[in-house]
Amino acid sequence: MARSDLLINLVKAGVSGDTRTVKRTVEAIVAEERAKQHNVLADRLEKVVETPPMNGQSNIARVSAEASGRGAREFIAEMIPRRRLDELVLPDLTRLAATQLIEEQQRASLLRSHSLEPRHRILLVGPPGNGKTTLAEAIAESLAVPFFVVRYEAMIGSFLGETATRLKRVFDYARTTPCVLFFDEFDAVGKERGDIHETGEIKRVVTSLLMQIDDLPSYVVVLAATNHAELLDRAVWRRFQLRLTLPAPTQKQLAAFLSSLSARAEIKLGLGTEQIAKALGRVSYSEAEEFFTDILRRRILSGDGRAVVDIIREQMKLWMGRARAAPGISKDESDAGSAAP
């Protein structure tokens, strides 16, 4: 929102006693100042709203210690986004949707001048290892904002109400700055509330989660990823403005991905990437990248004594053996998708 609109909203809310709008407007101003690296001013604003009023009434716009980071940091891992969107092999519609979202965030002021907000809630669905986390990272890199990953192992507690309280701290902290907030394995906290096998506690967590998502300002881009979309609460789906699928790669997409890795590493493979992709068979992008990294390791350790093509053939044999040993993959499936080049 433009600075003039923020100030007008703040005055209107203060005059009318709308404490909710006052709180959200102050949070938006603090986030805007932090985005401009005006940290001294942002800190002073937070300090002002943290100061108890002289008349002893409740603080209408209190920004808690947890929200300013002193109580939420243990539940969030801040990552440096390094992957770029143009490096990713994505379905055409997924790339288009991600590009549109980035443009809306970058040109948010224009949208707000027309009383519109940029989209900022995205649900990523697909099997593991096919780019959900990487896409979230690439969006953060494109927007040049912090990339926060929620740490479930620290946030989920064993006492009644503890998880919901910690979850609120995470959202309160995210509101203090433009950022990408990423929930991996989202089904861990967004499970179907109608499941009779779930406890009342997880139902309370889901209810709190939905309320917090609804209350997020549009400068916080929240991405949630899941491998098990069927486990999500039905109300979760409508909270997300974009629902993107990242399926397992086709052989053509896998070949393009290997070509991209080879070009970035400036290595000539000596074999066609289509041939390698066919030999790898049914693998995810993550597994294909792991295979390519194995090649890099062996190339470095062998020096100039071996051709890259010989290293690839050797690693291919190892991967064929690994595929046959994987649970749920029959020998016939492995042989069909892993013929040596």
Side-chain angles (χ1 to χ4, degrees):
M1 188 178 294
R3 173 53 63 90
S4 58
D5 292 333
L6 284 173
L7 294 176
I8 290 171
N9 285 350
L10 184 60
V11 172
K12 286 182 177 179
V15 170
S16 63
D18 184 351
T19 60
R20 181 183 177 86
T21 300
V22 169
K23 181 177 185 298
R24 296 188 66 176
T25 304
V26 172
E27 288 174 346
I29 294 174
V30 169
E32 184 179 287
E33 295 305 322
R34 291 206 185 282
K36 296 175 182 178
Q37 303 299 315
H38 298 165
N39 292 320
V40 173
L41 177 56
D43 290 341
R44 290 179 65 186
L45 286 170
E46 286 186 343
K47 185 175 180 180
V48 168
V49 295
E50 285 174 5
T51 304
M54 294 298 294
N55 59 10
Q57 297 175 356
S58 61
N59 191 346
I60 63 172
R62 180 175 177 80
V63 178
S64 66
E66 290 83 5
S68 62
R70 293 187 289 276
R73 274 300 200 173
E74 61 184 298
F75 312 130
I76 296 176
E78 182 174 358
M79 314 295 289
I80 299 176
R82 302 187 186 278
R83 303 301 289 268
R84 301 201 315 272
L85 191 64
D86 59 9
E87 296 175 353
L88 309 186
V89 178
L90 299 169
D92 291 340
L93 291 179
T94 299
R95 182 178 297 278
L96 176 61
T99 302
Q100 288 183 348
L101 178 131
I102 291 168
E103 181 185 15
E104 289 175 19
Q105 287 289 326
Q106 291 174 333
R107 305 182 68 188
S109 295
L110 177 60
L111 290 175
R112 287 167 184 147
S113 68
H114 291 79
S115 301
L116 294 170
E117 292 291 329
R119 288 174 292 181
H120 64 112
R121 301 191 297 269
I122 310 100
L123 179 64
L124 305 176
V125 178
N130 289 300
K132 297 186 293 297
T133 302
T134 306
L135 178 56
E137 181 182 349
I139 290 174
E141 193 277 336
S142 297
L143 296 176
V145 297
F147 182 45
F148 297 141
V149 179
V150 177
R151 298 175 54 221
Y152 295 132
E153 74 278 9
M155 188 181 69
I156 296 178
S158 57
F159 296 104
L160 185 66
E162 190 174 38
T163 301
T165 299
R166 291 174 175 177
L167 187 63
K168 184 179 185 303
R169 291 178 184 176
V170 167
F171 281 102
D172 283 346
Y173 178 62
R175 289 187 186 94
T176 64
T177 184
C179 65
V180 167
L181 181 63
F182 182 58
F183 288 83
D184 200 3
E185 307 292 347
F186 190 61
D187 45 279
V189 290
K191 288 183 178 180
E192 171 60 57
R193 285 172 290 181
D195 188 345
I196 60 174
H197 301 292
E198 288 298 341
T199 65
E201 174 68 0
I202 193 64
K203 294 176 183 179
R204 283 187 288 270
V205 169
V206 174
T207 301
S208 175
L209 173 69
L210 297 179
M211 293 175 60
Q212 294 297 328
I213 290 176
D214 284 342
D215 203 35
L216 273 180
S218 61
Y219 56 77
V220 176
V221 178
V222 58
L223 288 105
T226 181
N227 306 328
H228 301 287
E230 72 280 1
L231 297 180
L232 293 180
D233 189 272
R234 284 166 292 180
V236 166
W237 288 88
R238 68 182 182 83
R239 257 59 184 198
F240 292 93
Q241 300 147 319
L242 289 173
R243 297 179 283 273
L244 307 180
T245 300
L246 284 88
T250 63
Q251 186 175 311
K252 182 178 180 181
Q253 290 171 329
L254 200 58
F257 181 64
L258 290 169
S259 296
S260 174
L261 293 176
S262 174
R264 293 208 305 270
E266 299 181 348
I267 292 179
K268 294 182 178 180
L269 299 178
L271 288 173
T273 53
E274 296 83 0
Q275 190 177 3
I276 299 174
K278 182 178 180 181
L280 286 176
R282 300 173 183 176
V283 299
S284 65
Y285 287 115
S286 178
E287 290 172 312
E289 187 169 13
E290 185 180 344
F291 170 78
F292 187 82
T293 304
D294 287 345
I295 293 172
L296 294 181
R297 292 191 186 100
R298 300 317 308 169
R299 179 173 178 268
I300 291 170
L301 294 175
S302 62
D304 296 327
R306 298 182 65 194
V308 174
V309 65
D310 293 334
I311 295 174
I312 292 175
R313 292 184 187 277
E314 179 182 73
Q315 293 304 119
M316 194 69 67
K317 291 178 181 178
L318 294 174
W319 273 73
M320 288 168 60
R322 188 178 93 155
R324 291 192 180 99
I329 299 180
S330 69
K331 183 179 186 300
D332 291 339
E333 286 179 318
S334 178
D335 289 342
S338 301

